[in-house]
Amino acid sequence: MSTTEMPKAYEAADVEKKWYPIWESRGYFHGKPTEGKEHYSVVIPPPNVTGVLHLGHVLNNTLQDILVRRHRMLGHEVSWFPGTDHAGLATERKVERVMLEKENVTREQLGREAFINRVWEWKNEYGGTIIQQLRRLGTSCDWERERFTMDEGLSHAVRKVFVELYNKGVIYRGSRMINWCPVSKTALSDEEVIYKEINGKFYHYQYPLSDGSGALVIATTRPETMFGDTAVAVHPDDERYQHMIGKTVDLPLTDRKIPIIADFHADPTKGTGCVKITPAHDPNDYEVGQRHNLPMINIMNPDGTMNSRSGVDYQGLDRFECRKKVIADLEKAGLMVKIEDIVHSVGYSERGDVPIETLVSEQWFARMNELAKPAMEAVRDGKIKFYPERWTKTYFHWMENIKDWCISRQVWWGHRIPAWYNDETGEIYVGMDAPEKNGTWRQEEDVLDTWFSSWLWPFSVMGWPEKTSELKMFYPTTDLVTGPDIIFFWVARMIMAGCEFMDEIPFRNVYFTSIIRDEQGRKLSKSLGNSPDPIDVINTYGADALRFSIIYIAPTGIDIRYSNEKCELGRNFANKLWNACRFRRLQGNTSLAFRDLNGIALNKLTPDEKWIIQRINWMAAEVNQMLDEYRFDHAVHCIYDVVWGDFCDLFIESSKVRLRNGGENKEQALAVLDFAIWRILLLLHPFMPYITEELAHQMGFLNDDESIMKAEYPTACNAVEIPDTDEQLMRLVRGKFEIAAAGRNLKASYDIPNGKKADYHIKAVNPEAAEFLKSETDSLTFLVNAGNITISLDGWDASAGVAPSVMAELGTIYLPLKDLVDVNNELKKLTDQKKQLQGWIKGSEAKLSNQGFLAKAPENVINEAKEHLDGLKLKLARTEELIASLG
C-alpha cells in the first residue's frame, strides 16, 4: 500500500500521465506468439492518416480496448494490431490545400514525384496525431506492430494481390460506365456515392421530327446532357410511336439528327413514353447504346465543365450554368413544354460533396462475383457472426447483387498500379516490378482505390505474403469492431480477401457500433457545430469518464444521443469509487491476504458480508456473459448498479457498525471490503483502466512492479464459494436494506435531517422476517440513525400519535412524528403546496392543448413541456400521499 496520504479527490490528468508510459515501456501491450497458449487478436479499423480523434473513434476504440484488456486478464496472448490508412484522395487534397494556402502552388505545378515527396513529409510530421490521441484515450494497442497502408511490406502485398488477380482474369482494364467526381477529378466506386433527396425540376421539351411531321416530347432532370444524345427510344409495342421507329429527330440547339429506336428500356406508362438516350452519361442509356451500337459522345471535361462536343455556345461553361443556358435557349426556341417541381434522389461524391457524373471511361476493374461466393458462405454457415444480427440481411443483399469494382483512381498519392504500357507495340505488362524487356515502357498513371489496400489489412499487417509467426498464431483474428457505414467498403471485402488469399476467414465476430447523434438526434458534424473534440472532453472529465459514459449510453444497435454533460455520469462514478477506497484506507492498512479473503473464516461471515460477496460473484458472471454477447452497455450498467448502489450505498454503510466494534469484527469487515474492492477494480479495469490501476496500487493490492493488467479477471469459474448462503438469506438482507432506505426516505419526506435520531416501528410480514430483522437491529439502527427500533408482527398503535409509513417486502416501517414534526404546520404547508402544484398543472395542460403552440414549437420544446407536466403530476401525487399519512 502507498505510504503517502491518498488524495481527497481523483485527479484524472495526473493519473493518466503517470500510467500510460509505464504500461507501454514495460511492454504490457505486446503480444508474443506462444505455442500452447490461447491467442486473441484484433485489427484496428485504420483511421485516415489525416484524421483527428472524433467521438466515433472514441466509441469504436473503447469497445476494442474493453475486449483486448479483458482477454489479457483471462490469460490469453493478445495483440491489437494498430495502424493508419494512407487515405489517398483525402490526404492528397489536404496537402494540396496546405500548399495553396502557404505557397500558392498546385500539385500540377510541383510535379508528381515532388508532390508525393511533399505528402510523405507531411505524413511524417503530422500523420501521427490521431495515434497520440488514441494513447490519451488509454487504448492498449500493440504499438510495436503499428503499420501504415503504404509501408513497404503492405505495398508489396498490394502489388502481389493485383498481379495474382490480373493473371487470374479477375482484374481487367476496360471502358465502362463509372461514377466521376468533378471536384476530385477521379473515378469513384458505387459505395463512394451518397444518395440525397433534393428539390429539383423535371423539364419537358420537344425534339422535332426531321420530316417536319411533328415532335416527340421527352422529360429529363438534366437537359445539359442532351448534347450527348445519340437516339430517342420508344417501346417496341407502343402503338403511338411504332410508325416513327427508324425516323430521325432534330437534336435541339445542335445541327445533328438522331434516330428513333425501339427498346424495352422505354416505359409507355411513364411520361410520354419517349426517352432520350445519352450512352456516355447514363448507366441505363449505356446499356441501350451497347444493344443498338450507338455512338458514345462524352460532353464534359474532368472538372465538370462542358467540352467542345457541346458546341461553341456552351463549351467551357460549368455544367449547372450550362443547364440554365440550355433552358433559356429551349424556351427562346419555343421547344419548352413545361417545367415540374420534383423531389428526387441524386448521387453525391462522398469526398467532394457534389453531384457525381456518370460517364464512360477507361478504368481498371475487379470482377467480384466469384470472390463473393465463399464470403457469403462464411456468414451463411455461421463461421462469421454479425452483432447485431440484422446486419447479415444488409450484407447478403449487397453481396448477392455485387458489381464489378472500379479500383483505379486518378490521383497521385496511393499505390500506383503495377502495369506498364509499350506505346510502340501496344503491349501491357503487369508485374511486381517494372518490365526488363527492351523497349520504351511507361507505368500506369492511376493509383489503386484506398480500399484495395484496406481489404488486405487483417493479414497484411501480420507480414503476408511472408509466413510469419504472427500469421501462424494471430490469424484469423477473433473480433472486428467497426461502423455499419463501411460494411460494403471494408467488412465484405476483407472477408472476400481472407477467403481468397488466406483460404481462411479474417475474423470470427463483427460488432457494428451505434451512430452517435446529438441530443436533437442530428448526426455529429463540424458544420453543425455539434461535434465535441474528445481531447477537450478528456481534459475536462478524464479519459475513464469519457470511456465509461459513452459505453453506458450506447445500447446495442440503437443510435446514441450524446452530450458532454453525460460524461458527468462517468466522472461521478470515478469519484464515488475513489471515495469508497479512500474510506477503506482510513480504516487501517490493507492486506494482500485480505484481497482474496485468505485467513478469514468464511463460516463466520455476517449476512451482509455473505450478501455482498454473492453480489460481487453475480456481477462477475453477468459482466462476462454480457461481454461474451457483445452487450457492452449491459455490462457497464451492471457494474454501475452493483458498485454504486449495493457496495457503496448499502454495504459500506452497514459495515461501519462492525468497523466501530474493533477486534475480529473489524478485521473481518476490512477483509470483505478489500475483497469486494479488489474484485470491483478487476472487473472495471477494461472499462476504466487508469483509475483501476491507480487504486489497485493505492490500496496495496499490487507491488510497484506489478500491474492490474496482468491480474486474473473475475469469472464464474474463479468465484469465492460462501457456505450457508441461499436465495432466502440474500432476499432477507436485501429486504433489510430496502426497509432502511424507506426509513431514511420517511425522514426526508418531512424535512427531518438524517443526522437527527428518530424512533421507528417495523411490522414484519412474518415470523421469519421478524426474527431476521431483530438479529440485525444494530445494523438497522445505524443505517437509519434511529434512537430506538421496535420490531413485531403488529402494526402501529394510532393512539400513540401520527406515524406515516412505507410498505416494503419484509414489512412496513413507521416513523412516529411526535417530537419531530408539528403536524398541523406540516399539513398546512403540504396543503398550500398541493394548491400551487394544481395551478401549475392547469397552466401546463392549457399550454399543451394550445394548437398554436403545438404547431410552431420545436419537437424538443414540446417534449420538454410534456416531461415537465409529468413531473408536476408525480409531485402532486406524492404530496397527496403525505397529506393522507398525516390525516
Side-chain angles (χ1 to χ4, degrees):
M1 185 173 84
S2 174
T3 56
T4 59
E5 184 179 349
M6 188 170 172
K8 291 183 178 180
Y10 174 54
E11 299 295 341
D14 294 340
V15 171
E16 291 164 15
K17 288 176 185 175
K18 170 184 174 182
W19 282 112
Y20 201 91
I22 293 174
W23 292 333
E24 193 169 0
S25 65
R26 291 180 181 174
Y28 290 151
F29 302 159
H30 186 59
K32 299 174 183 177
T34 307
E35 292 284 355
K37 194 173 183 182
E38 186 171 343
H39 290 70
Y40 177 87
S41 58
V42 173
V43 293
I44 198 171
N48 289 353
V49 71
T50 58
V52 293
L53 200 68
H54 58 64
L55 286 172
H57 294 129
V58 169
L59 174 62
N60 186 297
N61 286 279
T62 297
L63 292 169
Q64 291 176 81
D65 200 40
I66 290 168
L67 293 169
V68 165
R69 287 180 181 272
R70 173 181 175 237
H71 278 276
R72 279 199 200 94
M73 296 174 75
L74 288 172
H76 303 157
E77 198 61 43
V78 173
S79 186
W80 179 7
F81 291 82
T84 49
D85 191 288
H86 66 279
L89 180 57
T91 305
E92 183 163 303
R93 291 183 65 192
K94 175 80 173 181
V95 175
E96 187 169 16
R97 195 157 54 242
V98 171
M99 286 168 42
L100 281 169
E101 290 173 358
K102 293 186 176 180
E103 307 168 50
N104 197 29
V105 174
T106 66
R107 66 173 189 145
E108 288 81 6
Q109 290 170 323
L110 200 61
R112 181 170 192 147
E113 186 174 348
F115 177 74
I116 290 174
N117 289 335
R118 190 69 70 87
V119 179
W120 275 109
E121 290 172 6
W122 185 91
K123 182 263 176 188
N124 292 333
E125 186 171 356
Y126 301 106
T129 298
I130 195 166
I131 295 300
Q132 296 307 316
Q133 291 176 326
L134 285 172
R135 283 178 162 90
R136 287 288 310 274
L137 187 63
T139 54
S140 57
C141 296
D142 194 341
W143 297 115
E144 295 176 44
R145 293 192 169 102
E146 182 183 347
R147 304 301 297 270
F148 176 53
T149 51
M150 283 183 63
D151 285 349
E152 179 49 44
L154 273 68
S155 296
H156 177 78
V158 167
R159 292 195 300 273
K160 180 174 176 60
V161 165
F162 186 95
V163 173
E164 284 190 15
L165 293 181
Y166 178 82
N167 290 335
K168 281 187 173 184
V170 174
I171 286 178
Y172 65 95
R173 182 170 172 79
S175 290
R176 294 272 308 271
M177 177 66 64
I178 56 106
N179 306 303
W180 184 265
C181 174
V183 170
S184 306
K185 288 178 275 190
T186 183
L188 304 171
S189 67
D190 290 343
E191 292 73 39
E192 292 169 296
V193 178
I194 308 299
Y195 286 89
K196 300 181 182 181
E197 293 291 319
I198 66 167
N199 294 320
K201 295 185 184 297
F202 222 180
Y203 302 94
H204 300 252
Y205 55 93
Q206 296 177 349
Y207 280 43
L209 289 160
S210 300
D211 61 9
S213 60
L216 296 180
V217 176
I218 63 92
T220 181
T221 58
R222 305 177 64 217
E224 70 278 7
T225 62
M226 64 184 291
F227 301 115
D229 290 0
T230 53
V232 171
V234 296
H235 195 278
D237 298 330
D238 193 334
E239 296 179 356
R240 294 172 295 174
Y241 305 113
Q242 283 182 342
H243 66 287
M244 298 183 184
I245 296 170
K247 291 186 176 185
T248 63
V249 294
D250 294 335
L251 184 62
L253 311 182
T254 74
D255 58 2
R256 288 197 294 120
K257 299 181 187 300
I258 57 176
I260 300 171
I261 61 173
D263 194 277
F264 289 97
H265 172 57
D267 186 345
T269 65
K270 290 185 177 180
T272 61
C274 304
V275 184
K276 65 192 282 295
I277 304 299
T278 320
H281 290 278
D282 182 273
N284 294 317
D285 293 1
Y286 174 82
E287 299 296 332
V288 175
Q290 293 289 296
R291 290 194 289 270
H292 294 270
N293 199 27
L294 297 173
M296 304 273 178
I297 303 176
N298 184 354
I299 58 170
M300 286 191 192
N301 296 313
D303 63 357
T305 58
M306 310 303 289
N307 65 24
S308 60
R309 302 298 297 272
S310 304
V312 294
D313 291 340
Y314 307 96
Q315 182 180 353
L317 291 177
D318 172 79
R319 52 186 171 155
F320 299 116
E321 289 299 317
C322 180
R323 181 181 299 176
K324 292 177 183 177
K325 181 169 174 54
V326 165
I327 294 166
D329 291 347
L330 287 171
E331 289 176 334
K332 191 183 300 181
L335 297 175
M336 185 65 71
V337 177
K338 64 177 179 178
I339 301 174
E340 289 182 277
D341 291 325
I342 61 168
V343 176
H344 62 143
S345 181
V346 176
Y348 273 68
S349 165
E350 184 186 41
R351 284 289 175 194
D353 197 30
V354 295
I356 61 156
E357 287 297 331
T358 49
L359 49 84
V360 175
S361 176
E362 194 167 24
Q363 302 285 340
W364 289 88
F365 297 90
R367 295 183 175 92
M368 304 304 287
N369 282 333
E370 291 303 313
L371 294 177
K373 290 178 181 178
M376 284 192 286
E377 285 302 308
V379 176
R380 188 173 286 117
D381 293 347
K383 293 179 181 177
I384 298 175
K385 291 184 170 62
F386 288 176
Y387 300 87
E389 193 273 337
R390 71 170 186 269
W391 288 110
T392 56
K393 184 177 180 181
T394 305
Y395 174 82
F396 284 125
H397 178 75
W398 185 73
M399 294 289 271
E400 289 164 357
N401 297 279
I402 199 166
K403 298 178 182 177
D404 288 1
W405 176 13
C406 179
I407 58 175
S408 49
R409 296 293 181 270
Q410 289 65 54
V411 295
W412 289 350
W413 173 246
H415 296 99
R416 196 166 177 180
I417 291 175
W420 287 262
Y421 303 96
N422 188 318
D423 293 330
E424 297 172 1
T425 64
E427 184 181 359
I428 298 178
Y429 171 82
V430 171
M432 295 295 292
D433 301 296
E436 297 178 356
K437 306 175 186 179
N438 293 329
T440 303
W441 294 88
R442 62 178 176 84
Q443 187 175 357
E444 169 66 72
E445 293 286 325
D446 292 353
V447 302
L448 288 162
D449 179 7
T450 295
W451 297 101
F452 197 89
S453 54
S454 301
W455 77 323
L456 313 177
W457 187 250
F459 50 89
S460 64
V461 294
M462 299 186 194
W464 186 89
E466 303 301 320
K467 294 182 178 179
T468 64
S469 58
E470 283 86 355
L471 279 171
K472 182 180 179 181
M473 294 297 179
F474 290 122
Y475 189 92
T477 64
T478 311
D479 295 318
L480 176 73
V481 179
T482 189
D485 53 326
I486 54 175
I487 189 171
F488 311 132
F489 286 117
W490 197 44
V491 178
R493 289 173 180 161
M494 282 191 291
I495 299 172
M496 288 187 267
C499 293
E500 174 70 14
F501 299 105
M502 295 297 295
D503 198 29
E504 177 65 278
I505 58 173
F507 31 72
R508 296 186 179 92
N509 306 291
V510 184
Y511 179 83
F512 293 105
T513 60
S514 306
I515 295 173
I516 304 178
R517 301 183 182 276
D518 66 12
E519 289 279 47
Q520 298 178 41
R522 302 174 302 175
K523 288 188 73 172
L524 302 185
S525 71
K526 289 181 180 178
S527 60
L528 289 174
N530 65 347
S531 183
D533 181 346
I535 299 302
D536 291 341
V537 180
I538 290 173
N539 290 338
T540 303
Y541 296 95
D544 282 341
L546 173 57
R547 290 167 60 116
F548 191 87
S549 301
I550 205 164
I551 302 302
Y552 191 94
I553 63 173
T556 303
I558 300 174
D559 290 356
I560 300 169
R561 296 293 181 98
Y562 175 87
S563 67
N564 284 350
E565 291 71 28
K566 290 184 177 179
C567 291
E568 291 177 7
L569 178 141
R571 182 170 63 184
N572 292 342
F573 182 74
N575 289 335
K576 186 84 168 180
L577 182 62
W578 184 269
N579 291 335
C581 291
R582 188 168 182 273
F583 165 80
R584 166 60 188 92
R585 270 196 57 180
L586 290 172
Q587 309 311 309
N589 289 339
T590 56
S591 165
L592 287 176
F594 279 1
R595 76 176 197 185
D596 297 315
L597 291 180
N598 293 335
I600 298 299
L602 300 182
N603 61 341
K604 292 185 178 180
L605 293 173
T606 68
D608 287 3
E609 290 165 348
K610 292 179 179 179
W611 174 78
I612 196 61
I613 292 171
Q614 286 296 82
R615 292 299 292 159
I616 297 294
N617 286 344
W618 174 84
M619 176 172 62
E622 189 75 3
V623 167
N624 278 280
Q625 182 180 339
M626 293 301 99
L627 292 180
D628 285 342
E629 297 173 3
Y630 304 92
R631 297 167 69 186
F632 298 92
D633 62 314
H634 285 265
V636 167
H637 280 252
C638 172
I639 293 173
Y640 182 92
D641 292 343
V642 172
V643 173
W644 190 296
D646 294 343
F647 180 67
C648 293
D649 287 353
L650 300 181
F651 181 73
I652 287 181
E653 288 304 308
S654 74
S655 70
K656 290 177 181 178
V657 176
R658 292 174 62 75
L659 292 174
R660 288 179 179 179
N661 292 339
E664 290 184 6
N665 284 348
K666 179 176 181 179
E667 183 174 339
Q668 181 170 300
L670 291 176
V672 175
L673 281 169
D674 287 355
F675 168 82
I677 290 171
W678 175 234
R679 288 286 173 126
I680 287 167
L681 295 179
L682 291 171
L683 281 167
L684 186 58
H685 176 71
F687 305 89
M688 302 181 88
Y690 289 115
I691 191 172
T692 50
E693 185 76 86
E694 177 67 15
L695 286 173
H697 286 82
Q698 286 279 357
M699 299 301 294
F701 297 149
L702 298 170
N703 295 319
D704 289 344
D705 60 348
E706 294 179 311
S707 171
I708 195 171
M709 287 179 63
K710 296 294 184 179
E712 183 180 9
Y713 201 68
T715 65
C717 296
N718 57 29
V720 174
E721 293 296 328
I722 305 299
D724 302 322
T725 301
D726 56 27
E727 284 299 318
Q728 178 62 2
L729 179 62
M730 297 300 98
R731 187 181 70 82
L732 290 170
V733 174
R734 187 78 201 186
K736 179 192 75 170
F737 287 129
E738 183 189 8
I739 278 188
R744 290 194 298 272
N745 289 337
L746 278 170
K747 277 186 178 180
S749 296
Y750 297 98
D751 295 328
I752 302 168
N754 195 48
K756 186 173 184 178
K757 290 189 180 297
D759 293 340
Y760 289 91
H761 174 73
I762 298 173
K763 177 190 175 184
V765 293
N766 55 42
E768 181 187 21
E771 182 180 355
F772 176 77
L773 291 173
K774 286 177 181 178
S775 71
E776 294 290 308
T777 300
D778 287 349
S779 174
L780 275 170
T781 299
F782 178 81
L783 290 172
V784 297
N785 192 23
N788 181 54
I789 296 181
T790 56
I791 301 168
S792 72
L793 296 175
D794 299 321
W796 175 251
D797 182 358
S799 65
V802 175
S805 62
V806 174
M807 188 180 294
E809 183 179 356
L810 295 188
T812 301
I813 184 167
Y814 297 83
L815 175 63
L817 295 181
K818 185 180 180 181
D819 301 328
L820 291 174
V821 171
D822 184 324
V823 174
N824 291 330
N825 283 344
E826 189 68 21
L827 271 171
K828 183 178 185 307
K829 184 179 75 174
L830 290 170
T831 303
D832 291 343
Q833 183 176 312
K834 176 182 176 180
K835 290 178 181 178
Q836 188 178 47
L837 286 167
Q838 287 173 330
W840 289 342
I841 289 170
K842 186 177 180 181
S844 292
E845 287 176 336
K847 183 178 182 180
L848 285 167
S849 63
N850 185 322
Q851 294 304 312
F853 169 74
L854 296 175
K856 295 177 182 179
E859 183 180 357
N860 64 307
V861 173
I862 295 172
N863 289 335
E864 287 174 6
K866 289 179 179 178
E867 290 173 7
H868 178 65
L869 176 59
D870 291 340
L872 291 173
K873 288 181 176 179
L874 284 173
K875 288 180 181 178
L876 177 62
R878 180 59 183 149
T879 301
E880 288 174 337
E881 287 176 9
L882 292 174
I883 291 171
S885 71
L886 296 176

